[in-house]
């Protein structure tokens, strides 16, 4: 039989694509191997399907495998499979189309961006078989269909405009063999070590053996494809190590197999310790995305929300095409559905982990900061809120953690709010005058040491029927419904009550002394140990929130608040005596100024301490003079 050999021109769009591929410089040429290996794997899948349907096959006993044969001297690389092969027509049809759907779009972009950016275009789109021309001077495909009567065909092209195709007289094994004459600068792809590394990186979980110089390279099985009940903890741990190079075993794993609404399997891990990379580079998170065991994208962000960014692992789906572009992935509805399902499952996993307080505390210490970013996930609000932990006034030190549910369980009969307060540290928070009434009444307050905490509680608003309320905005009347813990310290016999009229007059004088800096000066019901504090006028933001807003708007003027004075405090009592004696006393006015600025300082609003220090020195000077006089020194 005469071999029909003919030379044909590529279609215009393919010529255009080849033009770009052959004339560009790439940093990531190695992906060509991933493309060829996954084509081979697909061809083997199809063959296995024929086999299972009982069809007669050429070379029925040939093992289903992919052979990779480099030849350094000849500078060639051959990738051969025993898959379904192609007939002459299939060869013309298949190796003559750009696989992904947006080929026209692809060419338009390529033209727009110029050949120089082909690297990123190819990286984003994946161009299947043609990517081989990044490394090839010439490609020879020899293929034979699986049908016993099929005859072998050869296709040769150097990727410039045309290709030849001919029927072969000689016999050939079933499947497809792709022989690549490597470009001079691509000789490295004939090096077995390089090839081994590339195969491990991109094609490690291909379901058929990949043999390199007779040795199987893809030895790690795709664990996620195995039934859960067959897999012990050691194998999960081992796989995690393989995936992350982390020297410690993971804190927890999650193995999911889902059929609806999208088919996918996922294998997720919580690393024991954070990698550190998240906060250096908060965009560096995500799960590896596989389509039918072929790695499509590493750390793909669309698969999990950012607040679960501490998770490591992978997702494998049958429902996406292999050559899907990264751009299309971003808007892909299937990917969105996978994310929704994984989010719910991951939150459920964390809820299970939380049953073990000690392990959950480890998790919280290491990954809580990331998890806190989830306060805007309204769809999973309740599950999310249940996972939060806070230090609180019931703990002995800053290491203690409580959940909102535990707070609720400890709350007083009739208490309808969960109270919280912010500050830079436990020590600072405990000195906050606003907490005095809470301490006196034995009401728990959550401590927020991180800016995010207050955003979280503010945006959640409620938890299981309790309102989340900043301590400074609590109505003292609400708190006074609960009896004082320690009668002697709290409601005990008071010093003689101050003359109400004289006290009111003093408050007015204090307001006058402070002018527009305060909205009002009034008697406090919340202070027990401190002489004064500032409170937000009703309906205003909490002071911590207000502070962040100010930082963002670069506003440095102190906010106008209400100053409250503790009528039982000795200092305030002394001031009352001074004021009652002389309504225009300079020492009185300086002291009021001082109380105001001290409160500002405590709240973090005092930008310039100079005036305060000068005034303190003046007051001390006077006080020490009087002291020396009284003592007759
Ligand atoms: P894709 O794999 O995304 O379809 P390619 O350009 O890589 O795009 O391949 C085009 C087509 O060529 C494939 O869909 C397949 O039908 C055929 N093909 C490629 N490689 C092989 C192979 N090794 N064996 C059989 N058919 C193949």
């Amino acid at each position: 039989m005469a071999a029909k050999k003919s030379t044909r021109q590529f279609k215009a769009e393919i010529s255009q694509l080849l033009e770009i591929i052959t004339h560009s410089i790439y940093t990531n040429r190695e992906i060509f191997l991933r493309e060829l290996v996954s084509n081979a794997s697909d061809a083997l899948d199809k063959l296995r399907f024929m086999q299972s349907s009982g069809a007669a096959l050429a070379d029925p006993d040939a093992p289903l495998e992919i052979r990779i044969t480099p030849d350094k001297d000849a500078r060639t690389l051959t990738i051969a499979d025993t898959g379904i092969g192609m007939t002459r027509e299939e060869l013309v049809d298949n190796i003559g189309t750009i696989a992904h759907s947006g080929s026209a779009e692809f060419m338009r972009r390529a033209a727009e961006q110029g050949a120089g950016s082909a690297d990123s275009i190819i990286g984003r789109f994946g161009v299947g078989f043609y990517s081989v021309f990044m490394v090839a001077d010439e490609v020879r495909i020899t293929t034979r269909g699986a049908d016993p009567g099929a005859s072998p065909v050869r296709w040769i092209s150097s990727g410039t405009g045309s290709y030849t195709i001919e029927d072969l007289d000689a016999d050939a094994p079933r499947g497809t063999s792709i022989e690549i004459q490597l470009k001079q600068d691509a000789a490295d792809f004939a090096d077995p070590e390089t090839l081994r590394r590339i195969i491990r990186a991109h094609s490690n979980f291909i379901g058929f053996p990949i043999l390199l110089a007779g040795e199987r390279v893809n030895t790690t099985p795709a664990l996620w494809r195995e039934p859960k009940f067959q897999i012990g903890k050691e194998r999960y741990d081992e796989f995690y190590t393989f995936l992350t190079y982390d020297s410690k075993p993971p804190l927890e794993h999650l193995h999911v197999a889902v059929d609806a609404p999208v088919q996918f399997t996922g294998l997720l891990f919580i690393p024991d310790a954070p990698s550190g990379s998240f906060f250096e580079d908060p965009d560096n998170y995500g799960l590896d995305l596989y389509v039918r065991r072929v790695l499509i994208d590493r750390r793909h962000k669309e698969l999990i929300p950012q607040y679960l960014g501490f998770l490591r692992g992978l997702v494998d789906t049958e429902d996406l095409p292999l050559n899907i572009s990264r751009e299309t992935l971003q808007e892909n509805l299937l990917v969105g559905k996978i994310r929704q399902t994984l989010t719910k499952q991951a939150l459920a996993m964390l809820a299970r982990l939380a049953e073990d307080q000690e392990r959950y505390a480890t998790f919280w210490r290491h990954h809580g900061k990331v998890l806190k970013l989830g306060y805007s996930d309204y769809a999973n609000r309740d599950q999310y809120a249940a996972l939060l932990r806070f230090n609180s006034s019931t703990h002995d030190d800053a290491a203690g953690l409580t959940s909102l549910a535990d707070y609720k369980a400890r709350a007083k009969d009739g208490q309808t709010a969960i109270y919280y307060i912010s500050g830079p540290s436990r020590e600072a928070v405990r000195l906050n005058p606003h907490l005095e009434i809470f301490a006196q009444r034995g009401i728990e307050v959550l401590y927020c040491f991180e800016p995010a905490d207050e955003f979280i509680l503010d945006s959640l608003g409620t938890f299981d029927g309790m309102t989340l309320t900043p301590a400074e905005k609590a109505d003292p009347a609400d708190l006074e419904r609960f009896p004082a813990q320690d009668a002697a310290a709290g409601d005990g016999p008071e010093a003689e009550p101050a003359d109400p009229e004289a006290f009111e007059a003093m408050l007015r004088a204090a307001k006058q002394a402070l002018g527009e800096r305060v909205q009002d000066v009034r008697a406090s019901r919340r202070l027990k140990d401190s002489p004064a504090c500032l409170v937000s006028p009703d309906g205003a933001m909490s002071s911590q929130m207000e502070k962040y807003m100010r930082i963002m708007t670069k506003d440095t003027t102190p906010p106008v608040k209400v100053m409250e004075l503790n009528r039982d405090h000795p200092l305030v009592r002394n001031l009352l005596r001074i004021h009652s004696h002389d309504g225009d006393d300079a020492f009185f006015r300086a002291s009021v100024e001082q109380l105001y600025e001290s409160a500002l300082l405590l709240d973090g609003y005092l930008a310039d301490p100079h005036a305060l220090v000068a005034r303190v020195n003046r007051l001390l000077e006077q006080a020490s003079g009087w002291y020396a006089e009284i003592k007759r020194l």
Side-chain angles (χ1 to χ4, degrees):
M1 174 167 84
K4 263 201 307 185
K5 178 168 178 173
S6 61
T7 301
R8 301 177 176 217
Q9 300 301 313
F10 283 116
K11 283 191 193 137
E13 60 173 22
I14 293 189
S15 289
Q16 232 176 324
L17 172 63
L18 285 168
E19 178 75 12
I20 294 168
I21 291 175
T22 49
H23 290 101
S24 303
I25 298 161
Y26 307 98
T27 50
N28 193 24
R29 293 195 293 184
E30 65 184 42
I31 60 136
F32 85 90
L33 193 59
R34 172 191 87 179
E35 300 292 326
L36 297 188
V37 167
S38 49
N39 280 350
S41 172
D42 287 350
L44 287 161
D45 267 332
K46 287 177 195 157
L47 185 101
R48 189 159 54 188
F49 181 75
M50 277 181 79
Q51 225 172 17
S52 67
S53 68
L57 297 175
D59 294 346
D61 299 328
L64 303 189
E65 62 191 21
I66 301 164
R67 278 182 186 277
I68 297 186
T69 315
D71 183 336
K72 264 187 168 167
D73 299 333
R75 216 185 336 121
T76 61
L77 173 65
T78 305
I79 293 134
D81 64 69
T82 49
I84 195 165
M86 284 175 275
T87 64
R88 185 180 175 114
E89 290 69 38
E90 283 166 345
L91 192 52
V92 171
D93 287 348
N94 296 344
I95 307 290
T97 52
I98 300 178
H100 67 84
S101 50
S103 57
E105 170 71 4
F106 174 86
M107 296 316 304
R108 193 182 59 73
R109 272 166 201 265
E112 257 173 33
Q113 302 189 358
S117 60
D119 202 21
S120 74
I121 296 169
I122 288 178
R124 281 210 304 262
F125 286 82
V127 290
F129 169 78
Y130 292 103
S131 58
V132 72
F133 286 106
M134 292 190 285
V135 299
D137 274 336
E138 188 180 85
V139 177
R140 295 178 279 275
I141 305 177
T142 309
T143 183
R144 183 182 161 194
D147 193 52
S151 53
V153 200
R154 174 162 296 159
W155 179 103
I156 300 178
S157 177
S158 53
T160 49
S162 67
Y163 61 93
T164 65
I165 191 162
E166 69 179 309
D167 294 325
L168 290 185
D169 278 338
D171 199 18
R174 181 189 77 211
T176 303
S177 167
I178 297 179
E179 191 189 343
I180 303 162
Q181 184 65 54
L182 292 165
K183 290 184 178 183
Q184 199 139 30
D185 67 1
D188 202 32
F189 295 112
D191 174 52
E193 269 322 301
T194 306
L195 292 167
R196 188 168 289 121
R197 180 187 60 74
I198 300 172
I199 295 164
R200 286 243 166 93
H202 299 286
S203 312
N204 200 35
F205 301 111
I206 292 285
F208 301 97
I210 302 174
L211 302 161
L212 178 64
E215 197 188 314
R216 183 163 180 176
V217 183
N218 55 334
T219 47
T220 313
L223 194 66
W224 63 91
R225 294 271 185 145
E226 295 179 27
K228 268 191 260 190
F229 65 88
Q230 283 182 5
I231 311 173
K233 182 178 181 312
E234 295 94 82
R235 287 191 66 209
Y236 281 120
D237 288 359
E238 210 177 272
F239 189 83
Y240 170 79
T241 310
F242 166 82
L243 195 76
T244 59
Y245 304 109
D246 191 347
S247 56
K248 289 172 100 182
L251 197 62
E252 193 56 271
H253 73 262
L254 174 66
H255 189 172
V256 289
V258 176
D259 286 320
V262 194
Q263 183 286 329
F264 73 92
T265 40
L267 188 50
L268 279 56
F269 298 93
I270 306 177
D272 182 63
S275 64
S277 62
F278 188 89
F279 280 97
E280 287 152 26
D281 182 7
D283 272 344
N284 180 25
Y285 69 94
L287 302 175
D288 297 345
L289 175 62
Y290 287 79
V291 170
R292 277 166 272 124
R293 299 172 198 237
V294 178
L295 181 63
I296 297 303
D297 196 12
R298 245 180 236 291
R299 312 220 65 181
H300 189 74
K301 286 210 280 284
E302 309 299 321
L303 288 170
I304 40 168
Q306 189 179 30
Y307 74 90
L308 298 176
F310 51 84
L311 291 171
R312 298 295 305 271
L314 58 89
V315 166
D316 189 0
T317 177
E318 304 266 339
D319 288 354
L320 286 171
L322 187 61
N323 269 350
I324 187 157
S325 77
R326 299 220 178 122
E327 284 187 348
T328 336
L329 270 176
Q330 274 181 10
E331 303 127 28
N332 194 284
L333 281 177
L334 290 183
V335 175
K337 292 208 168 109
I338 294 176
R339 182 178 58 233
Q340 278 171 17
T341 308
L342 280 180
T343 303
K344 289 212 183 315
Q345 298 237 14
L347 292 174
M349 158 174 70
L350 291 172
R352 285 194 299 276
L353 184 68
E355 288 166 15
D356 181 340
Q357 278 196 17
E358 208 171 301
R359 284 177 70 220
Y360 194 75
T362 305
F363 162 78
W364 184 255
R365 259 198 325 277
H366 289 159
H367 304 294
K369 267 196 169 146
V370 180
L371 190 69
K372 282 180 185 178
L373 300 170
Y375 60 88
S376 55
D377 184 357
Y378 297 112
N380 298 296
R381 196 177 162 280
D382 293 347
Q383 293 87 331
Y384 172 77
L387 296 171
L388 295 169
R389 295 293 179 272
F390 297 89
N391 192 233
S392 98
S393 54
T394 57
H395 296 123
D396 295 332
D397 55 39
L401 290 175
T402 182
S403 65
L404 296 173
D406 286 346
Y407 180 116
K408 186 179 174 183
R410 282 188 298 265
K412 306 231 170 243
D413 264 350
Q415 185 183 337
T416 55
I418 292 177
Y419 298 102
Y420 61 93
I421 193 151
S422 306
S425 69
R426 193 176 159 92
E427 292 66 35
V429 165
R430 281 157 59 93
L431 290 174
N432 191 317
H434 288 287
L435 282 193
E436 288 167 8
I437 186 168
F438 289 89
Q440 185 208 32
R441 308 278 156 172
I443 298 168
E444 181 171 1
V445 179
L446 300 177
Y447 295 164
C448 300
F449 303 136
E450 283 176 14
D453 295 343
E454 197 162 10
F455 279 114
I456 295 170
L457 293 170
D458 189 65
S459 70
L460 290 178
T462 59
F463 175 81
D464 196 9
M466 309 270 278
T467 57
L468 298 167
T469 308
E472 60 181 29
K473 301 194 81 183
D475 181 351
D478 273 348
L479 306 174
E480 283 165 358
R481 289 184 296 136
F482 306 108
Q485 291 293 83
D486 180 352
D491 288 347
E494 293 189 0
E496 205 183 310
D499 169 8
E501 246 168 70
F503 194 79
E504 285 302 319
M506 182 194 73
L507 292 177
R508 282 195 301 275
K511 160 68 181 145
Q512 205 171 18
L514 295 172
E516 298 302 304
R517 286 175 288 172
V518 291
Q519 198 188 67
D520 195 9
V521 179
R522 65 184 181 212
S524 181
R525 291 164 77 179
R526 74 188 80 225
L527 293 174
K528 302 298 155 198
D529 305 317
S530 303
C533 72
L534 291 170
V535 296
S536 303
D538 295 336
M541 283 182 257
S542 75
S543 53
Q544 204 64 18
M545 282 293 249
E546 180 166 356
K547 226 167 283 167
Y548 302 132
M549 302 303 284
R550 285 163 171 276
I551 290 168
M552 282 191 268
T553 56
K554 301 203 165 70
D555 182 355
T556 54
T557 56
V560 177
K561 298 201 172 197
V562 173
M563 181 155 90
E564 289 191 355
L565 293 178
N566 179 355
R567 67 164 84 222
D568 297 326
H569 196 278
L571 170 46
V572 177
R573 290 263 169 154
N574 292 343
L575 291 180
L576 179 61
R577 279 171 64 194
I578 297 170
H579 179 261
S580 300
H581 176 74
D582 176 359
D584 199 28
D585 187 276
F587 185 86
F588 169 80
R589 283 201 315 269
S591 301
V592 168
E593 291 260 348
Q594 186 56 41
L595 284 174
Y596 167 73
E597 284 209 350
S598 299
L600 267 190
L601 183 66
L602 276 186
D603 284 355
Y605 288 115
L606 193 73
D608 182 2
H610 286 93
L612 178 139
V613 172
R615 189 183 316 102
V616 167
N617 288 344
R618 233 171 23 249
L619 289 170
L620 272 178
E621 181 192 316
Q622 290 177 321
S624 59
W626 295 321
Y627 184 83
E629 224 156 82
I630 290 166
K631 292 263 176 179
R632 297 177 201 280
L633 300 173

